[in-house]
Amino acid sequence: MKNESIKVFQKKKKQILETWMKLQLADESLREDLMSNEELRGQSEELISILVDNLNDSNIDDPRHSDFDSVVDILSGISISRARQGFSPRETGTFVFSLKDALLNTMQQELKDPQELFLQSLKISKLIDSFGVTTFETFIKGREEVILRQTDEIAEISTPVIRVWDGILALPIIGTLDSARTQVVMENLLQEIVESGSSIAILDISGVPAVDSLVAQHLIKTVSATRLMGAECIISGIRPEIAQTVVHLGIDLTNIITKFTLASALRTAFNMLHLQVVKKQKQTIAD
Amino acid sequence: MMVTLNKDVMSIVKEQDVIPFRNRIKEYATKIGMGLVNQTKLITAASELVRNMLKYANGGKVYIEVVSKGRENGIRLSFEDKGPGIPDINLALKDGYSTGKSLGLGLPGTKRLVSEFNIASEVGKGTTVTVVKWKNG
Amino acid sequence: MEKIPILRMGKFLLVTIQVDLYDRLAEALEADLVQMVKKTGAQGVLIDISAVSIIDSFMGRIIGNIATMSKILDAETVVVGMQPAVAITLVELGLPLKGVHSSLNVERGMELLRTKINLSEGQSDDDGYAE
């Protein structure tokens, strides 16, 4: 027996699309600012025809059937692009679930036998619900990708190495230092030391909110690695609170040159390089 | 869940096998796009482990696998030997402990270089050390 | 057998490691270098490791040995041109190469050796600023 509802869907594709569009446009959460109605219509039409063309008796109970791969692909594409465009999960979910309403609506008009209508409705509901879940999964994946990209960007931005003087580098650290961040800091710093041939690096930690034993360990590692390369490392921006916690935690920083401000670290660096900053004699202009 | 994408095996019986072995790991690590620092960490760890294997068990086999977990790719190395085994693994993993004439930072130092570290040993039967290094880990 | 060449440059010895060292080669280098220090009376040893991509605890020990042995024979050792990735790995491994001085490149390494030698001579001859 050929499934009645599938026949109905194939015959009434146009009508389903119209109902679906009406439902979507009527919804309060419609985002005309993010997507034009024509674009929405295009997406909807594509999805319906792919779904109806691939639906048959044997796969209607199995949303994971390979026949639906193309449907899932389209849904994934739509929800990933929506995640990136900044749609909310509800807005994306509504897109799929209003299709269910449209399908059920059409079935209600076409199928006369209540028993049959109930059975078919259940099947369609299950199928679309499963597609809805898929949409959410890919939506979250899309968002995660955005987050990962931003994390990478933040890591890049937050570790700039500045050449403050010939042979002196400065690296202001802002935010917490974890092991992943320390590795990025070390890599950037050491690479820049090689490229610029600098012999002194100043690590300024004024922007690090707190120094615990783990952060201190990361700092010590960075200093050790810099020394192995043959450069010296000065840590500046140590606030009184940090000095206090460091001592209370019993962390030994005596092998590291530490300074209160970046300016005093720079002065130390000048000294190490036998440089002197001299105030210029004021020139008197004769009139 | 970790999935193996590619598997390779090398047997290490003499000191001269170490350098080709390192090169093989480097090939795989480069293929999955691992950064230079993580590559260096992985190869150094592998070098330590393979040295242990030669010293205590006269060599053994190493399985090199390209693995993936979710969006992360990585390299898994399994060092299998039929040596005397390690009687007290916890002690062997302590910083500064060594029975051989090395610096005594073999296992704990190696552990810090990789993302995952596992050791199974039976006295008289042998030892298997498995390490994983993720591309970005 | 292969050998790592040791070059003599005035008061210093220069070793450039261009290949991956396997154990016996490294041990041979250690022995050769110490012999050369004694034979030439060199005051400093420069080990250029800019082409070395891996230093494990064994290599670290060889470098440390060379430094300690040279020190006993009154010569300072400077390791030059360590790769960033190698430095990061050594720190993570817990191998700080104690007793070994480092420099960014050979030129800086020589400068460092000169100041070290001047300093030690300065202590005995009170002639710290010769040159």
Side-chain angles (χ1 to χ4, degrees):
Chain A
M1 186 193 83
K2 176 94 174 146
N3 193 316
E4 276 300 313
S5 55
I6 295 171
K7 261 191 275 177
V8 169
F9 293 155
Q10 276 158 359
K11 212 164 57 199
K12 300 280 180 184
K13 229 191 301 195
K14 262 235 127 63
Q15 189 194 326
I16 297 169
L17 177 64
E18 289 314 321
T19 321
W20 190 18
M21 284 312 295
K22 218 183 287 162
L23 284 169
Q24 290 190 70
L25 294 177
D27 198 286
E28 283 173 15
S29 61
L30 180 76
R31 296 295 295 267
E32 283 176 89
D33 52 332
L34 293 177
M35 188 184 276
S36 72
N37 288 348
E38 287 76 46
E39 208 178 327
L40 183 64
R41 194 183 185 88
Q43 275 185 353
S44 309
E45 195 168 3
E46 190 185 6
L47 186 64
I48 287 185
S49 57
I50 293 265
L51 175 64
V52 171
D53 292 349
N54 284 300
L55 197 62
N56 60 44
D57 284 354
S58 59
N59 63 22
I60 190 162
D61 295 319
D62 181 13
R64 293 181 180 278
H65 199 282
S66 57
D67 289 354
F68 293 128
D69 284 355
S70 51
V71 179
V72 170
D73 280 351
I74 288 181
L75 273 175
S76 305
I78 291 174
S79 67
I80 280 198
S81 72
R82 287 186 174 214
R84 288 192 192 126
Q85 283 166 330
F87 279 81
S88 75
R90 174 178 289 274
E91 286 148 12
T92 308
T94 307
F95 171 71
V96 182
F97 290 122
S98 57
L99 170 63
K100 183 163 79 178
D101 292 345
L103 291 172
L104 293 179
N105 217 319
T106 314
M107 281 162 71
Q108 198 181 16
Q109 288 166 14
E110 301 293 324
L111 297 181
K112 299 292 169 257
D113 179 7
Q115 181 75 16
E116 178 71 12
L117 177 62
F118 175 71
L119 271 176
Q120 294 300 331
S121 305
L122 210 59
K123 282 186 178 187
I124 284 297
S125 280
K126 272 192 176 161
L127 189 70
I128 303 291
D129 285 351
S130 169
F131 289 151
V133 172
T134 309
T135 318
F136 274 113
E137 280 172 357
T138 40
F139 183 84
I140 289 168
K141 221 165 123 194
R143 275 292 166 89
E144 271 172 1
E145 274 165 20
V146 173
I147 292 168
L148 277 177
R149 207 190 56 232
Q150 285 170 345
T151 313
D152 287 349
E153 275 170 16
I154 291 170
E156 289 265 313
I157 297 166
S158 59
T159 54
V161 185
I162 306 156
R163 295 187 195 189
V164 278
W165 202 266
D166 213 21
I168 305 172
L169 298 176
L171 201 154
I173 301 174
I174 293 155
T176 332
L177 258 187
D178 56 12
S179 52
R181 183 97 186 277
T182 308
Q183 174 150 342
V184 178
V185 167
M186 273 203 239
E187 269 189 75
N188 290 352
L189 182 62
L190 301 192
Q191 199 54 51
E192 195 62 29
I193 287 176
V194 172
E195 275 165 27
S196 63
S198 300
S199 48
I200 297 170
I202 303 169
L203 223 57
D204 187 81
I205 59 164
S206 339
V208 178
V211 174
D212 55 11
S213 44
L214 211 63
V215 174
Q217 215 178 11
H218 292 318
L219 288 173
I220 293 169
K221 275 182 186 169
T222 311
V223 174
S224 309
T226 317
R227 286 186 181 157
L228 275 175
M229 304 270 305
E232 189 47 81
C233 192
I234 304 171
I235 296 184
S236 73
I238 302 205
R239 298 188 302 272
E241 314 87 271
I242 290 184
Q244 240 176 329
T245 40
V246 163
V247 172
H248 284 165
L249 290 169
I251 302 161
D252 185 14
L253 292 182
T254 44
N255 286 321
I256 295 173
I257 311 171
T258 49
K259 292 286 167 223
F260 182 43
T261 60
L262 185 66
S264 55
L266 196 58
R267 200 176 304 135
T268 311
F270 282 154
N271 264 331
M272 289 163 83
L273 294 177
H274 311 296
L275 292 172
Q276 206 174 359
V277 182
V278 183
K279 196 168 190 171
K280 237 180 161 177
Q281 287 268 303
K282 216 180 198 170
Q283 286 199 350
T284 39
I285 301 158
D287 47 351
Chain B
M1 202 184 66
M2 220 188 275
V3 192
T4 303
L5 306 173
N6 200 339
K7 195 163 182 169
D8 198 351
V9 63
M10 275 184 96
S11 81
I12 310 278
V13 289
K14 53 183 189 300
E15 192 203 288
Q16 278 82 350
D17 296 337
V18 174
I19 288 169
F21 165 66
R22 282 186 190 167
N23 293 342
R24 185 81 65 92
I25 300 175
K26 184 162 184 85
E27 249 170 62
Y28 280 108
T30 313
K31 212 182 280 173
I32 65 165
M34 192 183 278
L36 184 64
V37 173
N38 280 339
Q39 270 189 30
T40 309
K41 286 185 176 176
L42 173 67
I43 299 169
T44 309
S47 194
E48 297 288 327
L49 291 170
V50 97
R51 247 181 235 294
N52 276 345
M53 206 163 79
L54 281 168
K55 190 160 60 183
Y56 297 108
N58 292 316
K61 270 189 187 146
V62 186
Y63 294 90
I64 308 168
E65 290 166 275
V66 177
V67 289
S68 102
K69 188 165 85 177
R71 62 178 75 241
E72 268 281 57
N73 278 352
I75 304 278
R76 176 162 63 192
L77 303 171
S78 312
F79 299 79
E80 273 182 37
D81 70 51
K82 295 194 165 43
I86 303 169
D88 188 342
I89 290 177
N90 288 332
L91 189 61
L93 285 171
K94 255 199 191 138
D95 251 324
Y97 177 80
S98 170
T99 55
K101 55 166 187 170
S102 70
L103 289 163
L105 36 83
L107 288 183
T110 307
K111 199 176 165 183
R112 282 193 293 268
L113 294 179
V114 292
S115 323
E116 286 171 34
F117 185 97
N118 238 306
I119 182 162
S121 185
E122 207 175 319
V123 175
K125 291 225 168 122
T127 306
T128 302
V129 181
T130 311
V131 299
V132 179
K133 183 83 188 166
W134 297 114
K135 198 173 106 181
N136 302 311
Chain C
M1 199 180 94
E2 282 181 272
K3 257 185 179 226
I4 306 284
I6 301 170
L7 306 178
R8 189 180 167 176
M9 298 173 75
K11 291 189 263 183
F12 307 138
L13 296 179
L14 173 65
V15 181
T16 304
I17 302 176
Q18 296 279 13
V19 291
D20 271 328
L21 289 183
Y22 53 87
D23 301 11
R24 227 164 300 159
L25 196 57
E27 277 162 352
L29 174 66
E30 178 189 301
D32 288 353
L33 202 49
V34 177
Q35 283 299 325
M36 277 290 269
V37 170
K38 190 197 146 226
K39 211 165 75 186
T40 59
Q43 290 177 298
V45 176
L46 287 154
I47 307 176
D48 179 8
I49 54 163
S50 53
V52 175
S53 57
I54 302 291
I55 293 184
D56 57 9
S57 58
F58 178 82
M59 266 293 286
R61 185 158 55 96
I62 296 281
I63 293 172
N65 285 354
I66 291 174
T68 317
M69 293 170 188
S70 307
K71 186 83 199 164
I72 296 172
L73 297 169
D74 205 21
E76 296 282 345
T77 304
V78 178
V79 163
V80 299
M82 186 184 290
Q83 302 264 346
V86 172
I88 295 172
T89 305
L90 281 180
V91 168
E92 206 68 60
L93 190 62
L95 202 68
L97 297 184
K98 282 218 173 76
V100 183
H101 307 292
S102 307
S103 239
L104 282 177
N105 49 44
V106 175
E107 206 185 324
R108 297 266 182 92
M110 289 214 186
E111 252 168 60
L112 183 65
L113 278 178
R114 275 190 204 109
T115 40
K116 293 262 173 224
I117 290 163
N118 278 341
L119 277 180
S120 61
E121 280 177 353
Q123 279 165 1
S124 49
D125 316 342
D126 211 14
D127 188 22
Y129 292 98
E131 207 169 319

